[in-house]
Amino acid sequence: MEYQSKFNELYEEMTSCVRGVVLKEEPLKNHTYFKIGGPASLFAEPEDTEDLKTVLKLIKKHGVDCFIIGNGTNLLVSDNGYKGAVVKIGEKFNYMERNDNVVTVGAGVLLSALAKYLARENLAGFEFASGIPGYLGGAVYMNAGAYGGEMKQVVKHVKCINLDGNVYEFTNEEMEFTYRHSKITDSDLIVLEAELELSYGNKDEIMEIIKELNEKRTTKQPLNIPSAGSTFKRPQNGYASKLIEDAGLKGLKYKGAMVSDKHSGFIVNWDNASCEDVLKLMRIVISTVNDKFGIILEPEIKIVGTKL
Ligand code: FAD
């Protein structure tokens, strides 16, 4: 069937039975922190797990590709967009439920809001994540971390659904967390919620740590310019930002993209950059660092709809 009519049919069927948002040709730059990305053929934001099941069933029935997004803070999307269905697990999955020192958290909860909630509840151990701008689902997916902490240290249990609509539950060990990686990465599993196990602490002390870490972040990172966070993974011996700086690339621009002059680990969209501008700059960084130090940097950001 012709591409456009296939999506028109899917759109018609979805709008008739899905309760959440369903859009056609939605610009993904509206859903990424980088403010880059062409349209998704179809964009759906389900209201809850039952609604998500309906969305997934229709995607399967019409045989189109599917990509899950959270808060879009780790994504670089093609200027041509995504030829398929993008499903946002967003604020509709926003709930937190405390049971002693274990808190059940929906995939659409902002990490910063969660950190503040846990502090108010006198629960410690999540301070490290307070300045990471993603949702819980994206953080579990890639075992997000900062300042010596990572999701692996606090996740007790994860509830997921796959593209066939089957629900699975995993313990911490079964999640196979490693550096910026989990069982969910490169699988067809979608995080619905996670149980986090915290330690008992003191609200004021926790808030003080959060304040210190956020001040550190504000001083060092270009938080007021669109980006997707650290562009490259930490190589085995050292830091990507140091290698990039030592290679003389800090502040280097390619059209609208720039190696941040505040933190060379970040490529920022300083002036209406396209995805191609960012990819070109990434290639320059990778080859220069490799030529100078013999180290091949790997992207930490997720590239969607195109290739590096
Ligand atoms: P998205 O960017 O929407 O998606 C990222 C990946 O997760 C995609 O592959 C997507 O398919 C998948 N995904 C999202 N939600 C789900 C779900 N519910 N189920 C299954 N898969 C899902 N990261 C760090 O680790 N540490 C940092 O200190 C840090 N600092 C940052 C600072 C800035 C200024 C920015 C812009 C980013 C930073 N990041 C950092 C990157 C980013 O915030 C994290 O990776 C975050 O965990 C991504 O969450 P998200 O909801 O935005 O996911």
Side-chain angles (χ1 to χ4, degrees):
M1 193 191 298
E2 197 238 320
Y3 167 78
Q4 200 54 51
S5 58
K6 185 172 173 168
F7 278 100
N8 285 344
E9 250 184 45
L10 174 59
Y11 174 77
E12 294 305 328
E13 209 172 333
M14 264 204 201
T15 44
S16 71
C17 57
V18 167
R19 282 175 281 122
V21 172
V22 181
L23 302 167
K24 257 196 298 192
E25 297 299 320
E26 170 67 0
L28 289 173
K29 65 178 178 191
N30 297 344
H31 301 276
T32 62
Y33 211 80
F34 233 149
K35 300 203 187 316
I36 292 175
S41 314
L42 187 129
F43 180 92
E45 190 171 348
E47 288 278 306
D48 52 31
T49 303
E50 279 315 301
D51 213 25
L52 172 61
K53 281 185 181 169
T54 310
V55 167
L56 296 176
K57 208 167 165 179
L58 291 176
I59 287 173
K60 192 174 177 200
K61 177 177 162 191
H62 289 262
V64 304
D65 289 339
C66 170
F67 187 79
I68 303 299
I69 66 166
N71 204 25
T73 63
N74 203 34
L75 302 180
L76 175 62
V77 180
S78 163
D79 301 314
N80 295 323
Y82 182 74
K83 306 270 178 279
V86 167
V87 180
K88 177 164 176 162
I89 307 298
E91 280 127 33
K92 303 293 175 189
F93 290 75
N94 180 356
Y95 52 86
M96 299 176 263
E97 218 176 277
R98 178 177 179 177
N99 188 359
D100 287 336
N101 64 331
V102 175
V103 180
T104 304
V105 187
V109 172
L110 265 176
L111 300 178
S112 54
L114 176 57
K116 280 187 196 132
Y117 165 82
L118 295 174
R120 282 196 302 274
E121 296 285 319
N122 295 298
L123 291 172
F126 198 70
E127 300 83 347
F128 73 88
S130 63
I132 302 176
Y135 290 148
L136 178 95
V140 169
Y141 167 95
M142 59 102 69
N143 188 23
Y147 305 114
E150 56 179 356
M151 295 304 291
K152 178 185 180 176
Q153 297 163 356
V154 289
V155 169
K156 182 176 158 64
H157 196 262
V158 180
K159 191 169 170 185
C160 301
I161 190 167
N162 72 357
L163 297 181
D164 289 326
N166 302 316
V167 173
Y168 297 90
E169 306 207 8
F170 302 107
T171 61
N172 177 297
E173 292 72 31
E174 287 166 344
M175 283 296 292
E176 298 163 12
F177 287 118
T178 53
Y179 175 67
R180 303 294 173 265
H181 193 275
S182 79
K183 187 188 190 78
I184 316 291
T185 324
D186 309 322
S187 77
D188 77 337
L189 292 163
I190 303 167
V191 178
L192 294 173
E193 64 178 37
E195 273 180 14
L196 307 186
E197 188 167 19
L198 292 313
S199 49
Y200 296 100
N202 170 279
K203 179 171 76 182
D204 296 331
E205 286 168 17
I206 298 167
M207 283 310 282
E208 195 48 42
I209 298 172
I210 290 179
K211 194 169 152 242
E212 271 170 34
L213 293 182
N214 287 344
E215 277 169 10
K216 221 182 207 176
R217 204 179 262 276
T218 314
T219 320
K220 295 212 166 137
Q221 297 182 358
L223 301 181
N224 53 356
I225 309 179
S227 76
S230 296
T231 315
F232 299 101
K233 286 185 184 166
R234 206 172 55 212
Q236 267 201 335
N237 301 315
Y239 290 93
S241 57
K242 170 126 182 29
L243 292 168
I244 296 167
E245 190 168 344
D246 290 351
L249 300 170
K250 195 171 189 177
L252 181 74
K253 286 176 186 160
Y254 181 80
K255 297 190 182 168
M258 175 169 74
V259 175
S260 167
D261 50 10
K262 189 167 181 182
H263 188 307
S264 42
F266 284 53
I267 288 183
V268 295
N269 173 7
W270 73 282
D271 186 20
N272 282 315
S274 66
C275 176
E276 272 312 311
D277 297 345
V278 176
L279 290 174
K280 172 81 181 169
L281 195 52
M282 286 175 74
R283 287 181 206 118
I284 295 170
V285 169
I286 291 169
S287 70
T288 313
V289 167
N290 189 24
D291 287 348
K292 296 217 166 166
F293 306 112
I295 293 171
I296 300 177
L297 294 175
E298 280 180 39
E300 176 165 324
I301 59 178
K302 293 279 158 203
I303 300 168
V304 183
T306 183
K307 286 196 165 69
L308 181 62

